[in-house]
Structures are given as C-alpha cells and as structure tokens.
Amino acid sequence: MNRLRDPRWVLILSFLAILFGVPAVQTIREAVEEEGVLAVEAFPRSLSAAGLRTYEHTLESASWAAKASRPWFQLAQFAGLKDGGSKAIVARDGWYFYKPGLLDLVARSAPTVSPAGDTNDPVVAILHFRDQLAARGIRLVIMPVPNKESIYPDRLTARAAHLKGIIAPRTAEFQRRLNDAGVEWIDLFAAFRDARLESGAEVQPPLYLRQDTHWSPRGVALAAQTAARRLRELGWVQPGRVRYGERPAPVQRLGDILQMLQVPDLEQRVPPEAVDCIQIVQRDSGEPFRETSDAEVLLLGDSFLRVFQQDAPGSAGFAAHLARELEQPVQFLVNDGGGSTLVRQELSARPAYLTGKKVVLWEFVERDLGLGREGWKQVPLP
Amino acid sequence: MVFTTHIFVFYFLPLFLLVYYGLPMRWRNLWITLASYVFYGWWEPWFVGLMLFTTVMDFAWGKVITRPGATRRQQRWAVTACVVTNLALLGFFKYWMFAAETLNRVLAAVGAETFGVMKVVLPIGISFYTFHSLTYIIDLYRGHATPAKSFSVFSAFVALFPDLVAGPIIRYKTLADQLHERRHTVERFASGVAIFIVGFAKKVLLANPCGLVADAVFGTDTPQPFDAWVGVLSYALQIYFDFCGYSDMAVGLGRMLGFEFPRNFDAPYRSESITDLWRRWHISLSTVLRDYLYIALGGNRKGEGRTYFNLAVVMILGGLWHGAKWNFVLWGAFHGILLAIERWRGKRSLYDALPRPARVGATFLLMLFSWVLFRAENLSAALDYYRAMLGLGDTGVAAPLIAAAIYTPYHALVLAVGTALVFQPVQAHDWAERPVTWGRTAMLTPLFVLSLMGMFTQAFNPFLYFQF
C-alpha cells in the first residue's frame, strides 16, 4: 500500500494497467464470447509483410478500446473543433464536403501513365470501352458528374464566396482530351453552373445535398434533362411511347458525409436533411418506375445512380428521371464507388445486360479521375 | 513496428516488459536482441537477415581489429574494409536507384542508350543501424571503446529496438558499460514512462495533425502565398514533433530497460543561428558527423578554406544521408554554406546584431526555407513552392478551396499549441525529466489516455524519419 503513496509508482502502475489491461480485457471478452482469442487465431501462417499488416489491422479493428473511445474522440473534434476527420469537411451554413474529393480537386496533377507503363488513364480506358461497344453496334456516351465542390465552392470557404463553380485543371484537360478523341459526353459542369447562375438569389433548392456527397432531387432532374437532350441531339434514341408521371416523395436523409464522421447519437446532433424527392410512376398504372431488361439504354455508374433510385424513396433517381425524359424504360448497373473500373468489370461478368442495347450511358463522379477505385483498367468484354 | 500503433502499445511492449523483468540480468540482452528482431522484422521479415548479416560481419571485424598482436597496419586495413563493406551495403540499398537514374538522365542527355534500373527496396532504418554498427568499429580502432564481451551484447546494441529505426544514433562507447551492467530503478522506470508519454503525445496529438495540414498544402497545385507559409510552418512543426517525439519515446523506453540514452533535441527552433541550430537539432547525427566525418576530413586543422569546404561537404553528405534525392543534397548544401559563412564570421550569424527574438525568428525563417527542399517531392515541386511562398506563381483555380481543409478550429488549435511549445523556454522533454510528482502523474496519465484515443482515431500515422 505504501507504493500507492508514491507518485512514481502510481504513474508506473497506471501506465502498465493501460498496457496490460486493454489486451487482457480484449482476451477475456473474446474468450467469454467463445469466438477464440483473435491475437492467436488471426496470426498469419506464413510470415510476410502483407500478412503482418493484415494481422495488425484485424487486431486494431476488433479492439474494444478503439471501438469504445473512437466515437467520443471524433465527437470532441467534430462538435468542439469543427473537424470532420479524414473524410469530412465541416463547411459553411450547414454544408459538408467529402475531404478526399477536395484534396484531389486541388492537387498537383499526377501523371496518368505510371513510369512502369501500366496505364491508369481514364481516356485510354474510355476509348477501349467505346471501341468494344462499337464492335457490338452499341454507342457510348460519358457523363462525368461534377464534384460537389466544383459546383458549390462558395459553400466551402468564405474565400471562394465569389465563385459559382470551377473547373479544375485536370478536369478541363480531361474534357479537352475527350473532345479531341471524339468521345461523346454530357456536360453537367456547364448545365449545373448555368443553373446556379440562373438561380440568382438561389431560392431554389441546391443541386447537391448539404450533408451528402450526392446530388439533390433537383440535380437529378437537371442531369436527366441534360442527358436526354444530348441523346436526342445525337439522334441515338428515338422518341419513346411510355408515359410516366410523377408524385412527391419527401424523405429524411442523413447524409453519407455525416455518417463518415462516426460520432455517437449523430441524428440528435445534426438533424437529417429534408429532401423533396420526385418519384417517377407509370402514368397508367401508378406503379413506381422499374428498370426493364429489354430497354435500349443501359446506364452504368456509381452511387449517383443509386441515390433515390435504390435508396429511399425509390424510383426517384437518375434512371427513373431519364426514363421519363426519354419516354422509354432504361436498365442500370450500379457499383458504389466503382464508376471507374468496377462497374465495367461487373458488366463484363454479366454480359446479358448488353443484350438489345443501343446506347450505354456511363456515369462516374469527377473525383474518380484521380481517386477511382481500382484505377482505370481496360476491361475486356466477353 | 511503429511505437504509436495498437500492436506495439498493447501487445509487443507489455509482453516484452513482462519477459524482460521476469528474466535474470544475464539473459536480458538476449531477450532484447530477439524481441528487437521481431520488432524490426515486423515491417518485412527478410530485413532481419540483412541486419543479422551486418551484425555478424561487424562483430567479426571487431574481433580482427582487437586481436592480440594485431599491427596498426592490419587494424587500418580491417577498419577500412569494414567501413567500405557497410557503406557499400548502405549505398546499394539506399542510393543504387538514385545513382542509376541519375546516370540514365546523363546518358539520355548526351543521346546515349539508357539501361534498365533494377528496383531495390530500402530496408527501413538501415542508415541508423549501419551508423550504430560503424561507431563500434571506428571506436575500437581509435581505442575509444573496448570490444563487446559477447555476440549477444553486440547484437543487443545494434538491434536495440527503442533506437533501432529512427535513432537517436547512439555510439557503442556510450552504451558499452550499460549493456554489461545497468540499474533498473523505480525512479528510472517512472522517468522513462513520463518521457515516453510526452513523446507519444507529441507524435499523436501534434505531429500527425500538423502533417495533415502540411500534406494538404504541399499537395496543392500552386497554393496562395499565405497558405504556402502555413503549409511550411505546419511541416516544420510536424517534422519536429514527429522526430523529437520518436526520440523522446526511444529515450523513455531506454530508461524503462535501464539504459540512459543521450537526448537528441534541445529546443532547436529557439536557435539564434544555424551553427546554434546544429547543436540542438538531431544532436546525435550532428555529433556523429562531426566526430567521424568532419574530423576525419581534417576538421579545422588544415586552414580556413579547408574548414569551410569540410563543413559544406559534411552537410551535403548529411543531407544525402537523409535520402537519395537531389532535394536532400541541396538542403545539405544550404545548411553547409550557411555554416561556412557563420564560421567565417567567427561563428556569428549574418543577423547577429539583431536582438535575440529577431535572431531566433531569422533562424526559424531560414529553417522554413530549407524545409521546403526537405518536404517537396522533387526539385521542380520545391521551386513551385518557393514561387508560391513569394507570391510569384499563378495560384491554381481550385487552390483557394484548400482553405476549407486547413483552416479549421482544430488545426488552428494544434498549430497554436505546437508553435507555443517549440518557442517556449522549458521544453517538454525537460519537463518530463524532472522528478515525478503527484502533479505530473495527474497530467501524464490523462495525456496518455488522450493520446491513445487520438491514435485509435487517426488513419494518418507516418514516422518521417523511418524513411531515412
């Protein structure tokens, strides 16, 4: 007991209690839950750097101490110091932005072809895909969706208050190369910028959700109108005969950026955003829009195709709105975060999606030019 | 393995301490060696083989040098062979690609055919343990140290995990006695815990957040001038708290094992001149370069001109020691020239006449300029960054947006605390060195818990000096 009257001992014992206590509690919890002791069971059978990293990551992910303390530390950073961690930026007037997207947007341009000669060039991948589709008699149109910060830079920082939209140098270069290569693409950058300028005092709802990386119902509708107009101009789709109607479908949506904060009781701290979706329905039956496999238009893309379509309220996403604009059904294939390569790999594995198609509209978000998961691989179609 | 990770704090360290203190003294060096090999091999298991090779080789050269009856000539041959072999290994792993790519550029410039460059993986910390090992051989040759009594003692010295991958660079003669006999006391252990916690907090709570700001700005296409200055300030704080934090943790861990390591930093940003700076920054490297290179080149014994030349050469090589990039060569040259100028002025800076705060400010400003070379990816990026700092570049169209990522209350708090800490007279290391009182215990334990919570949260946790 005398030792506890000596601050040196108290410091040592506190330190050792933390060092030994955390793994001891972890082991006891795992033993009680009869899942086996992870520190033993997850140890790699063959010693390699990758195996050891995985082992470390596994222990870290399973740690009760990390799970218990992480949300509170993040809450202190978020609520007290307006810091959104590695994923989020807490911006002006209740707006949130995706931090990796912003850092990529402002970044020095990286070479698109690695020194080893492995291509990771979006334009090369697009041309390869276009040529493969052309061999099947299918036309390709590209639809890069602007990053939220490209359209709303003024919501990010007071310093950009005068800006109503920007085109980052790498994006401008990408657009120029698409034009030079004769690739057809839908210019949402211009459409969204013009819509913002026309908004004047901006009483209309924004084109993007405040708490989310994705577009708003208004952005969805504008994108669908712009895409349909372009497809008609190109003469790639014939006027349809399916009549669609619409009905209001308001939802409450807790934005994906907010969820990335991983703070406890988030919904009580930041109320979900009220989103006035427009659900597309069959005019005759009143049934919500459903994709059909005999459609002539196939949409490939990432979560921008998913929002409001597969998420609540359903049938209110880009696919439904494009179908209404074209007056004909469409089919879609979505891979969250995989607009650059993964969705084409999925198409390659499920070639039936191409049966009867005349047009493929390939959507991906601007940040995927630099951050695309799996890069920009050339994916052969079967 | 990295100190500020879950695996080190909650698995490696408790297990190591448990066994270490459970073993009798005569087995502890062997345990240090074995555990250190696990610590080192955690990055890449085959690295261990290379370190073992160096250790065996240098131990054998040590035997040759101290062999009874060895002539001075034989000793000279042995030490030369040992130094050449060590530097050849270091050179191959660290500088081969740099040299080959430079040669290729020259060949391409004169229109000759270039050749394929074999990719070589740089074993982490090789510069540090090679220097550790070399000090043993050179000190034996100079008669400044006695040979290790056993291989386990020498291998424990080379592999000693607290200072293995990022220093401080500890000479054999500093640790020789402690390797054979050291005292394990409550006072020393408690002081080790205190210094370890302070270093841990520096790394997690200050260096990592500062690094986020620095990375964001250095990654920006032509940032605005103010942002560029904030970026380089953040990098200055990051590299200081990162490296100094690591050194503190090493010193603290050393004390927990009964060792006394020399301190590696002494309030470097309070330096009044570049000469003063190099007495305070990475002290173990400066003194090794002075004692083993500068003096070997003749030091100041061969006239004024040669002294300036020696200073410049030592600093250029010191720069190159940090990495195989022209940036580091120029960084070393920048410091070498400034040191030579100050030597020429009688160890007085160009701004010696100014009051002390202005001298400190001017030295810090020079440091900031030199850190750009250190941080930028290449010379072209460094030049662009200098242009941005001086307002000579066209700010990128998206560059103003970076403000949203860097000017947050969190970053402002971290930068303010960091700046205040580096310029205040009592450094955290000194504070932690003092006897452990109730007040300190009451501060250190929550600081450790807070730092651990930060560690759990951070995805960004690089140690800058590991790459050197």
Side-chain angles (χ1 to χ4, degrees):
Chain A
M1 288 302 287
N2 282 342
R3 286 176 176 173
L4 291 180
R5 291 181 190 154
D6 182 341
R8 296 171 308 177
W9 271 104
V10 171
L11 178 64
I12 292 171
L13 292 175
S14 311
F15 179 72
L16 294 178
I18 294 169
L19 254 57
F20 286 90
V22 169
V25 171
Q26 183 77 29
T27 305
I28 292 166
R29 286 166 67 112
E30 287 167 357
V32 168
E33 288 165 12
E34 295 181 349
E35 289 173 354
V37 177
L38 201 61
V40 176
E41 295 201 347
F43 196 79
R45 292 181 197 281
S46 65
L47 287 181
S48 66
L52 291 168
R53 292 298 83 71
T54 306
Y55 176 66
E56 251 189 280
H57 183 68
T58 306
L59 293 187
E60 224 173 290
S61 307
S63 165
W64 70 271
K67 282 184 199 166
S69 57
R70 192 179 291 137
W72 298 103
F73 193 86
Q74 294 194 169
L75 174 64
Q77 279 185 301
F78 169 63
L81 295 167
K82 303 283 180 212
D83 185 77
S86 59
K87 295 287 175 65
I89 287 174
V90 183
R92 311 169 72 200
D93 309 323
W95 282 63
Y96 296 83
F97 287 83
Y98 182 55
K99 194 184 227 174
L102 171 67
L103 296 180
D104 178 64
L105 193 79
V106 301
R108 295 164 63 86
S109 294
T112 49
V113 179
S114 73
D118 303 326
T119 58
N120 189 30
D121 184 334
V123 177
V124 171
I126 288 167
L127 291 177
H128 179 255
F129 189 51
R130 181 187 68 174
D131 294 345
Q132 288 189 92
L133 290 174
R136 294 164 176 253
I138 302 171
R139 285 157 160 160
L140 175 69
V141 62
I142 302 299
M143 189 174 79
V145 178
N147 284 357
K148 183 171 161 181
E149 49 276 11
S150 293
I151 302 302
Y152 287 98
D154 50 330
R155 306 291 187 183
L156 253 173
T157 164
R159 195 193 270 179
H162 60 290
L163 295 174
K164 301 296 177 198
I166 58 163
I167 296 187
R170 184 173 54 193
T171 306
E173 169 70 5
F174 172 70
Q175 293 176 349
R176 186 192 62 73
R177 291 180 64 204
L178 286 183
N179 290 335
D180 290 349
V183 175
E184 293 299 341
W185 62 285
I186 295 159
D187 190 355
L188 293 186
F189 290 85
F192 282 13
R193 188 187 57 235
D194 292 348
R196 278 214 69 189
L197 293 175
E198 284 166 15
S199 299
E202 298 196 45
V203 286
Q204 296 186 60
L207 296 161
Y208 285 77
L209 298 171
R210 286 184 171 85
Q211 305 174 348
D212 206 291
T213 53
H214 299 105
W215 46 24
S216 67
R218 184 171 164 237
V220 168
L222 180 57
Q225 289 157 17
T226 309
R229 190 184 317 121
R230 183 70 185 138
L231 288 172
R232 283 195 294 267
E233 282 168 5
L234 290 167
W236 288 3
V237 292
Q238 299 306 313
R241 284 175 294 178
V242 183
R243 299 290 178 259
Y244 292 99
E246 63 177 50
R247 65 181 175 214
V251 292
Q252 298 283 313
R253 184 179 167 94
L254 191 67
D256 59 356
I257 302 175
L258 277 180
Q259 292 180 48
M260 290 172 201
L261 293 169
Q262 295 183 331
V263 300
D265 304 325
L266 182 63
E267 289 183 51
Q268 288 164 20
R269 295 172 204 287
V270 187
E273 193 170 350
V275 185
D276 293 325
C277 294
I278 303 294
Q279 197 173 48
I280 304 300
V281 296
Q282 305 274 355
R283 187 168 285 175
D284 46 3
S285 67
E287 287 289 310
F289 160 83
R290 294 277 176 268
E291 63 170 331
T292 54
S293 58
D294 58 352
E296 292 182 352
V297 178
L298 173 66
L299 311 181
L300 297 181
D302 53 25
S303 55
F304 277 80
L305 295 190
R306 172 181 47 77
V307 287
F308 313 132
Q309 187 67 42
Q310 295 171 316
D311 297 350
S315 304
F318 177 78
H321 281 262
L322 182 66
R324 187 185 63 170
E325 295 295 332
L326 296 175
E327 298 185 322
Q328 60 180 285
V330 299
Q331 192 178 14
F332 55 88
L333 188 56
V334 176
N335 188 299
D336 269 16
S340 58
T341 291
L342 293 174
V343 74
R344 284 179 295 128
Q345 288 176 338
E346 206 172 324
L347 177 67
S348 176
R350 301 158 77 179
Y353 269 87
L354 290 173
T355 307
K357 296 296 179 293
K358 292 185 176 169
V359 174
V360 169
L361 187 156
W362 178 12
E363 171 276 328
F364 51 83
V365 67
E366 180 186 9
R367 61 177 162 271
D368 274 4
L369 293 175
L371 301 178
R373 202 184 292 169
E374 300 292 321
W376 289 88
K377 291 181 180 155
Q378 296 180 25
V379 179
L381 291 175
Chain B
M1 212 175 281
V2 175
F3 290 163
T4 50
T5 56
H6 196 272
I7 191 84
F8 179 81
V9 175
F10 296 121
Y11 290 91
F12 179 88
L13 188 56
L15 185 65
F16 173 82
L17 290 174
L18 193 68
V19 176
Y20 183 81
Y21 279 97
L23 288 172
M25 182 60 201
R26 66 179 182 280
W27 292 106
R28 288 181 182 174
N29 284 338
L30 183 61
W31 173 238
I32 285 176
T33 307
L34 292 175
S36 298
Y37 275 57
V38 171
F39 176 87
Y40 187 60
W42 200 260
W43 273 284
E44 182 62 79
W46 71 261
F47 287 176
V48 170
L50 187 66
M51 188 166 71
L52 183 62
F53 174 75
T54 302
T55 310
V56 171
M57 180 181 72
D58 290 347
F59 185 70
W61 282 121
K63 289 281 184 198
V64 172
I65 289 166
T66 56
R67 182 175 57 88
T71 64
R72 197 61 186 158
R73 184 186 165 84
Q74 287 169 333
Q75 289 180 327
R76 192 175 302 123
W77 272 106
V79 78
T80 305
C82 177
V83 170
V84 167
T85 319
N86 273 285
L87 293 183
L89 270 177
L90 179 64
F92 174 72
F93 283 104
K94 194 160 179 174
Y95 302 108
W96 158 253
M97 286 175 62
F98 172 64
E101 282 165 6
T102 304
L103 183 59
N104 261 346
R105 273 193 217 115
V106 173
L107 290 173
V110 298
E113 195 173 334
T114 58
F115 57 95
V117 178
M118 178 176 66
K119 284 199 171 180
V120 177
V121 177
L122 175 66
I124 214 150
I126 188 172
S127 307
F128 285 95
Y129 75 71
T130 302
F131 270 40
H132 285 158
S133 205
L134 277 177
T135 64
Y136 171 70
I137 295 298
I138 297 171
D139 284 350
L140 285 184
Y141 172 72
R142 288 177 173 176
H144 294 166
T146 52
K149 285 180 185 164
S150 66
F151 181 72
S152 77
V153 166
F154 181 65
S155 59
F157 161 70
V158 176
L160 190 61
F161 75 85
D163 68 329
L164 174 59
V165 290
I169 300 167
I170 303 175
R171 304 165 199 211
Y172 179 74
K173 67 179 180 187
T174 308
L175 284 192
D177 292 341
Q178 299 176 51
L179 283 161
H180 293 109
E181 193 178 337
R182 53 189 176 272
R183 289 176 61 228
H184 301 86
T185 63
V186 172
E187 191 162 351
R188 183 170 282 187
F189 196 99
S191 138
V193 169
I195 296 175
F196 178 82
I197 290 174
V198 165
F200 198 93
K202 281 180 184 173
K203 166 66 184 158
V204 173
L205 301 179
L206 295 172
N208 288 353
C210 288
L212 289 174
V213 177
D215 282 4
V217 181
F218 274 88
T220 300
D221 186 19
T222 322
Q224 293 189 348
F226 185 75
D227 298 348
W229 283 99
V230 169
V232 74
L233 169 71
S234 303
Y235 183 66
L237 296 177
Q238 180 197 9
I239 195 164
Y240 171 68
F241 286 118
D242 184 287
F243 193 19
C244 177
Y246 188 93
S247 294
D248 285 350
M249 283 186 271
V251 171
L253 287 166
R255 284 195 186 176
M256 289 183 219
L257 310 186
F259 290 102
E260 197 60 54
F261 294 169
R263 71 184 296 176
N264 213 13
F265 290 89
D266 184 14
Y269 290 148
R270 287 171 54 81
S271 304
E272 295 176 41
S273 65
I274 296 297
T275 308
D276 188 22
L277 173 81
W278 283 103
R279 291 190 200 111
R280 294 162 174 263
W281 178 275
H282 202 172
I283 298 166
S284 63
L285 176 68
S286 333
T287 50
V288 162
L289 288 175
R290 180 195 65 200
D291 295 349
Y292 295 91
L293 188 58
Y294 177 69
I295 290 175
L297 288 169
N300 59 2
R301 303 186 307 276
K302 297 189 175 178
E304 262 188 52
R306 181 62 184 264
T307 302
Y308 307 142
F309 174 78
N310 287 347
L311 278 171
V313 166
V314 166
M315 290 311 294
I316 287 171
L317 290 176
L320 202 54
W321 175 86
H322 285 88
K325 273 165 60 170
W326 287 107
N327 287 36
F328 291 125
V329 175
L330 282 186
W331 177 82
F334 178 86
H335 281 275
I337 290 166
L338 286 172
L339 281 176
I341 291 171
E342 290 185 0
R343 177 61 69 101
W344 171 65
R345 289 173 49 82
K347 292 194 178 179
R348 288 184 300 113
S349 65
L350 289 166
Y351 38 85
D352 190 56
L354 297 174
R356 187 176 184 280
R359 293 198 301 272
V360 170
T363 308
F364 187 64
L365 200 64
L366 289 170
M367 277 301 278
L368 291 184
F369 267 97
S370 76
W371 284 138
V372 172
L373 283 168
F374 216 80
R375 172 60 182 78
E377 279 170 31
N378 49 46
L379 283 180
S380 154
L383 278 176
D384 287 346
Y385 202 88
Y386 283 129
R387 281 195 204 101
M389 284 170 77
L390 300 172
L392 302 174
D394 292 330
T395 302
V397 62
L401 305 189
I402 198 63
I406 59 176
Y407 299 126
T408 69
Y410 174 58
H411 290 147
L413 177 70
V414 167
L415 292 179
V417 169
T419 307
L421 284 177
V422 296
F423 288 114
Q424 58 122 8
V426 179
Q427 295 291 293
H429 184 102
D430 302 315
W431 181 84
E433 281 265 27
R434 293 174 186 169
V436 174
T437 59
W438 283 112
R440 285 171 205 281
T441 300
M443 288 178 75
L444 287 165
T445 308
L447 182 65
F448 189 45
V449 172
L450 186 68
S451 305
L452 287 172
M453 289 174 76
M455 180 188 84
F456 292 141
T457 309
Q458 292 169 351
F460 178 85
N461 189 24
F463 264 113
L464 300 186
Y465 260 73
F466 281 17
Q467 61 188 298
F468 309 138

